């Protein structure tokens, strides 16, 4: 759950409690194998607009998604705009996304895509989308 800027690519930073389940803490770094598993989410994706967001500076957190989010985009003038994720887990558009409603495209780590249109802006609020990633996507 933690960021680990000093970690090598592909390494995972575990809490001490989680690490103790696989090895002695003194080992420090140990080889493991892992895979993404679906979160149990029967509801559609939600979009949380950060307090202070507005049409000139917009921060959106994607919630209740089945798999980790790899990419978040919004449509502007018929083009998709990629929005960078911050270290506090919001996707922030420094120039703002305009007043809304929005057309969002969310891509998970498995390459699945959910598009939600008509998402209204609610400063500090949560807006429910219409879509959700498949819990068991086809193997690639």
């Amino acid at each position: 759950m933690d960021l680990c800027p000093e970690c090598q690519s592909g390494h995972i930073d575990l809490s001490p409690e989680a690490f103790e389940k696989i090895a002695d803490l003194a080992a420090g770094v140990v080889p493991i194998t892992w895979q993404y598993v679906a979160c149990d989410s029967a509801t559609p994706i939600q979009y949380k607009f950060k307090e202070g967001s507005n049409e000139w500076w917009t921060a959106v957190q994607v919630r209740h998604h089945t798999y980790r989010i790899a990419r978040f985009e919004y449509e502007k003038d018929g083009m998709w705009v990629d929005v960078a994720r911050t270290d506090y887990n919001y996707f922030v558009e420094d120039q703002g996304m305009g007043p809304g409603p929005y057309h969002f495209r969310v891509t998970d780590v498995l390459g699945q895509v959910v598009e939600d249109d008509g998402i209204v802006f609610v400063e500090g609020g949560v807006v429910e989308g219409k879509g959700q990633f498949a819990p068991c996507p086809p193997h690639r």
Side-chain angles (χ1 to χ4, degrees):
M1 301 301 292
D2 209 359
L3 292 178
C4 186
E6 68 277 4
C7 292
Q8 294 178 20
S9 178
H11 284 201
I12 300 173
D13 187 22
L14 300 174
S15 70
E17 297 81 16
F19 193 94
E20 287 178 325
K21 301 254 187 217
I22 58 172
D24 188 309
L25 275 177
V29 176
V30 295
I32 62 166
T33 58
W34 62 276
Q35 65 184 23
Y36 286 106
V37 295
C39 293
D40 186 19
S41 186
T43 62
I45 287 176
Q46 294 180 344
Y47 304 97
K48 163 77 165 116
F49 291 91
K50 185 166 179 44
E51 295 76 5
S53 286
N54 54 54
E55 64 184 282
W56 303 282
W57 181 88
T58 313
V60 179
Q61 183 181 70
V62 182
R63 295 181 170 186
H64 296 273
H65 42 85
T66 308
Y67 291 97
R68 186 175 191 281
I69 303 304
R71 187 174 194 178
F72 177 77
E73 301 163 283
Y74 72 102
E75 188 177 23
K76 179 180 180 180
D77 301 326
M79 304 289 290
W80 288 107
V81 178
D82 195 27
V83 183
R85 184 192 312 239
T86 63
D87 59 0
Y88 53 93
N89 200 31
Y90 275 83
F91 292 89
V92 175
E93 178 59 80
D94 286 324
Q95 305 304 312
M97 296 180 190
Y102 306 109
H103 185 185
F104 291 152
R105 182 163 68 182
V106 184
T107 306
D108 73 7
V109 294
L110 301 176
Q112 298 184 97
V113 175
V114 168
E115 283 191 36
D116 271 321
D117 202 8
I119 302 298
V120 297
F121 174 75
V122 179
E123 193 266 332
V126 177
V127 179
E128 190 166 284
K130 299 169 198 77
Q132 180 58 267
F133 300 114
C136 297
H139 295 291
R140 297 179 191 261

